[in-house]
């Protein structure tokens, strides 16, 4: 399939702004060329025309910058939906992780029984009631499964993601309310401890087996699943994340399954990076997700 690179430079949903610069940073560091050298065709390569502002303090309704984010997500949803309808594989570059609400709705529009593989330190499954921060990048999965604020749920229409079609990989920081939601909805979770115990290879084999009856999978990758030693260029730093090889294997296994419908890489913040280290690492990971193989 030919690829559509969709830059989604929206960063009103995160903690520290700056991920709006990620799509162009990755391009300037050679992402597009590197993908082409894999023998893949890029049919489209553009940034969405989304409006950002500057973060203010926490809003009273615990939904920081909701209106701006809703506008951004509509634009993203339409784009992913259209690119898929035209037969291309969307490669979405965030932006903060609110993106997954627009992207996944676009995927569900084409494949109502699609699955989601979510590489993240976080579950991003807070509602307005459970969120400690009011930051909407911590809420997209709740909205996708039909929980939380009506306006977020309504992004891209009424389609919902079946909680049984989700697999988390790499969790290491959950809020108490999120733990309950994960449990109540019986959502498949592989924590960092599970990866320590089983190894990334086994975890991915199980995850893909678990999703085998879906229409295919959307892969959503948050840079903060990585250890900050490897990936300082992101808004939240927590010890004990994935190393480069584990993340790489995870993405290689996704590709090798033949089930990938679309890919998304988010929360790279070039303003927090050192010497473009995180950005360069992410380019390698994107290529792994697109099928680049090692020796
Ligand atoms: N759980 C925290 C919150 O709701 C952190 C979420 C971090 N999400 C992310 N996409 N990096 O604020
Ligand atoms: Mn996330
Ligand atoms: Mn995260
Ligand atoms: Mn579990």
């Amino acid at each position: 399939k030919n690829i559509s690179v969709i830059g989604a430079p929206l960063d009103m949903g995160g903690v520290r702004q700056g991920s709006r610069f990620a799509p162009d940073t990755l391009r300037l560091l050679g992402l597009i060329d590197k993908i082409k050298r894999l023998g893949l065709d890029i049919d489209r390569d553009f940034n969405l025309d989304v409006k950002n502002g500057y973060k203010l303090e926490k809003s009273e309704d615990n939904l920081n910058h909701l209106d701006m984010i809703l506008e951004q997500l509509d634009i993203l949803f339409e784009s992913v939906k259209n690119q898929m309808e035209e037969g291309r594989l969307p490669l979405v570059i965030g932006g903060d992780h609110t993106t997954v609400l627009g992207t996944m709705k676009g995927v569900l529009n084409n494949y109502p029984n699609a699955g989601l593989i979510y590489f993240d330190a976080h579950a991003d499954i807070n509602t307005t009631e459970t969120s400690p921060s009011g930051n909407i990048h911590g809420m997209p999965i709740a909205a996708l499964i039909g929980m939380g604020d009506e306006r977020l749920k309504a992004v891209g229409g009424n389609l919902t993601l079946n909680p049984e079609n989700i697999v988390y990989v790499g969790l290491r920081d959950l809020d108490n309310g999120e733990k309950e939601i994960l449990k109540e909805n019986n959502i498949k979770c592989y924590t960092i401890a599970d990866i320590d115990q089983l190894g990334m290879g086994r975890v991915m084999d199980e995850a893909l087996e678990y999703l085998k009856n879906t229409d295919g999978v959307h892969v959503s990758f948050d840079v903060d699943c990585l250890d900050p030693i490897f990936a300082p260029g992101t808004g939240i730093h927590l010890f004990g994340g994935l190393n480069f090889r584990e993340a790489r294997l995870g993405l290689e296994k996704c590709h090798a399954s033949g089930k990938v419908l679309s890919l998304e890489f988010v929360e790279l913040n070039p303003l927090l990076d050192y010497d473009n280290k995180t950005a360069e690492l992410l380019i390698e990971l994107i290529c792994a997700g697109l099928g680049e193989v090692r020796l």
Side-chain angles (χ1 to χ4, degrees):
K1 249 188 198 164
N2 290 357
I3 296 169
S4 177
V5 178
I6 305 175
L10 50 99
D11 65 6
M12 299 307 291
V15 184
R16 311 257 323 253
Q17 290 183 290
S19 56
R20 68 181 69 172
F21 302 119
D24 284 338
T25 299
L26 295 173
R27 287 189 187 94
L28 288 169
L29 293 170
L31 173 69
I32 303 301
D33 228 51
K34 190 144 196 245
I35 295 173
K36 287 183 178 160
R37 274 187 273 119
L38 299 176
L40 298 167
D41 286 314
I42 297 182
D43 270 10
R44 297 280 188 281
D45 175 21
F46 56 93
N47 280 345
L48 299 173
D49 188 13
V50 291
K51 182 173 157 277
N52 285 299
Y54 299 97
K55 278 198 77 160
L56 308 169
E57 58 229 62
K58 212 164 175 304
S59 82
E60 267 169 47
D61 57 2
N62 212 27
L63 286 163
N64 306 336
H65 303 286
L66 177 67
D67 292 339
M68 213 178 270
I69 288 170
L70 289 172
E71 276 178 38
Q72 297 172 331
L73 292 180
D74 265 334
I75 295 171
L76 175 57
F77 160 72
E78 284 294 333
S79 183
V80 170
K81 173 174 167 283
N82 292 339
Q83 293 305 317
M84 279 189 119
E85 275 168 6
E86 290 169 20
R88 300 186 195 96
L89 181 128
L91 169 60
V92 175
I93 314 283
D96 69 63
H97 220 163
T98 53
T99 53
V100 66
L101 179 49
T103 305
M104 191 73 213
K105 286 288 187 99
V107 173
L108 289 168
N109 230 269
N110 287 268
Y111 300 93
N113 190 37
L116 172 63
I117 299 186
Y118 209 74
F119 293 95
D120 204 323
H122 307 99
D124 298 340
I125 198 160
N126 274 306
T127 64
T128 33
E129 280 78 48
T130 64
S131 170
S133 64
N135 291 329
I136 294 178
H137 76 158
M139 309 180 189
I141 307 300
L144 282 169
I145 65 169
M147 295 180 69
D149 186 82
E150 293 300 325
R151 292 158 294 181
L152 281 173
K153 285 198 280 190
V155 169
N158 286 328
L159 287 164
T160 55
L161 172 62
N162 180 350
E164 286 170 18
N165 285 1
I166 303 172
V167 180
Y168 285 104
V169 179
L171 297 176
R172 68 184 194 282
D173 183 22
L174 297 171
D175 299 317
N176 287 332
E178 291 186 299
K179 289 182 190 166
E180 275 170 40
I181 295 171
L182 290 170
K183 210 163 175 191
E184 276 162 17
N185 290 283
N186 204 13
I187 296 178
K188 190 81 172 161
C189 298
Y190 291 97
T191 65
I192 278 285
D194 293 327
I195 295 165
D196 287 342
Q197 189 67 31
L198 303 170
M200 187 56 127
R202 162 100 179 263
V203 163
M204 290 309 300
D205 292 346
E206 287 186 16
L208 289 157
E209 168 71 19
Y210 174 86
L211 293 171
K212 69 171 185 295
N213 294 323
T214 60
D215 293 343
V217 298
H218 172 56
V219 176
S220 193
F221 186 97
D222 183 330
V223 165
D224 71 27
C225 74
L226 299 164
D227 197 282
I229 289 172
F230 303 98
T234 191
I236 303 179
H237 285 193
L238 293 161
F239 286 120
L242 299 178
N243 67 34
F244 174 64
R245 279 154 47 207
E246 288 166 328
R248 166 145 204 158
L249 180 62
L251 290 161
E252 283 174 357
K253 291 249 183 197
C254 288
H255 175 83
S257 74
K259 291 198 65 101
V260 174
L261 300 169
S262 54
L263 293 149
E264 176 173 62
F265 294 84
V266 302
E267 301 279 354
L268 168 67
N269 186 337
L271 299 183
L272 303 174
D273 206 358
Y274 294 102
D275 203 18
N276 297 325
K277 212 173 142 196
T278 314
E280 278 166 358
L281 182 148
L282 192 57
I283 291 175
E284 296 298 314
L285 293 177
I286 292 170
C287 289
L290 290 172
E292 188 180 25
V293 287
R294 292 177 282 185
L295 286 178

